[in-house]
Amino acid sequence: EAGVVQSPRYKIIEKKQPVAFWCNPISGHNTLYWYRQNLGQGPELLIRYENEEAVDDSQLPKDRFSAERLKGVDSTLKIQPAELGDSAVYLCASSLDRGNTEAFFGQGTRLTVV
Amino acid sequence: AQSVTQPDIHITVSEGASLELRCNYSYGATPYLFWYVQSPGQGLQLLLKYFSGDTLVQGIKGFEAEFKRSQSSFNLRKPSVHWSDAAEYFCAVGAGTNAGKSTFGDGTTLTVKP
């Protein structure tokens, strides 16, 4: 069974440019999460989806970040425009449902903004 | 608000030696506690979790953790470390059984000497 798939693995962009990350969760998993992991820190939840509905986006900087999960399957996280401080690893995870005890993580996208 | 402290940023142990990684949490109610491992370039993998019951929990890869309410701790242990255990370890505390909603510590990097 395929795990959580993220692309691209690495991305280098200039500040003020837009960038998008894509995530395909494990088949059948209704809950999807996006995290940001800064260097030397643990992951911080940005947004959580239950199917296609964003149910927790309190930590998402809405002035420049947006996310969507059309049809409740794969998801895209976008930053526009990117700032130097956005350099981090962006992790996607999924779980069977909101009550499930385990979240499965993808390998992440390492973003460098120069 | 819940929080997690991992006091040791970096730990080095010799292969075959025992290991203990410390985790202290702050949470007003019964915590849901998790340990994850992250190998370089990989996503996070759940090692073990504690919700209730026996305070000594067994996980994958020979790891165990002990919940001590009086000390607000959930330390991870392994009796004999293997070179493949070198990775970063994250402790997390959640408000429920949904692991994806947890608050993560900043991690402890484990180096294993031959």
Side-chain angles (χ1 to χ4, degrees):
Chain A
E1 178 182 321
V4 177
V5 179
Q6 292 187 246
S7 68
R9 289 292 313 278
Y10 305 92
K11 189 74 176 178
I12 301 175
I13 62 170
E14 294 184 343
K15 62 182 180 182
K16 301 184 181 179
Q17 293 302 306
V19 65
F21 315 123
W22 177 80
C23 172
N24 190 283
I26 293 173
S27 178
H29 280 198
N30 297 322
T31 305
L32 183 146
Y33 317 81
W34 281 104
Y35 296 85
R36 176 169 59 191
Q37 184 176 19
N38 293 315
L39 188 64
Q41 297 181 13
E44 293 179 286
L45 182 66
L46 291 174
I47 189 168
R48 175 170 64 95
Y49 281 93
E50 299 293 343
N51 298 301
E52 66 275 9
E53 182 182 0
V55 296
D56 183 358
D57 63 355
S58 57
Q59 300 302 313
L60 190 72
K62 298 181 183 62
D63 56 336
R64 296 183 299 108
F65 286 65
S66 64
E68 61 182 14
R69 192 186 183 196
L70 300 176
K71 302 181 181 179
V73 182
D74 54 354
S75 177
T76 303
L77 178 69
K78 299 178 182 177
I79 309 175
Q80 182 171 8
E83 298 179 352
L84 295 177
D86 295 330
S87 295
V89 175
Y90 291 84
L91 294 166
C92 178
S94 70
S95 61
L96 197 58
D97 54 50
R98 63 182 175 182
N100 196 263
T101 61
E102 182 167 0
F104 295 83
F105 285 78
Q107 292 180 300
T109 296
R110 181 177 297 277
L111 173 67
T112 302
V113 182
V114 297
Chain B
Q2 59 211 41
S3 66
V4 176
T5 301
Q6 295 181 246
D8 305 304
I9 296 174
H10 195 174
I11 282 185
T12 299
V13 299
S14 297
E15 191 168 16
S18 63
L19 170 70
E20 182 169 30
L21 302 181
R22 296 184 291 165
C23 172
N24 294 99
Y25 68 89
S26 173
Y27 188 65
T30 300
Y32 295 83
L33 296 160
F34 309 85
W35 273 101
Y36 284 87
V37 61
Q38 185 177 33
S39 299
Q42 302 297 314
L44 280 73
Q45 181 184 21
L46 182 67
L47 286 175
L48 47 78
K49 56 184 182 276
Y50 171 78
F51 295 159
S52 63
D54 192 345
T55 56
L56 184 63
V57 294
Q58 303 297 319
I60 62 172
K61 304 186 180 188
F63 285 93
E64 67 178 26
E66 186 171 13
F67 170 61
K68 293 186 177 180
R69 184 185 298 276
S70 61
Q71 298 178 19
S72 297
S73 69
F74 188 57
N75 294 348
L76 183 71
R77 301 194 294 247
K78 187 170 185 178
S80 178
V81 169
H82 188 262
W83 65 266
S84 61
D85 293 324
E88 190 155 20
Y89 292 80
F90 292 94
C91 180
V93 61
T97 58
N98 186 317
K101 293 178 63 178
S102 302
T103 297
F104 287 81
D106 286 338
T108 297
T109 301
L110 173 65
T111 298
V112 180
K113 294 190 303 184

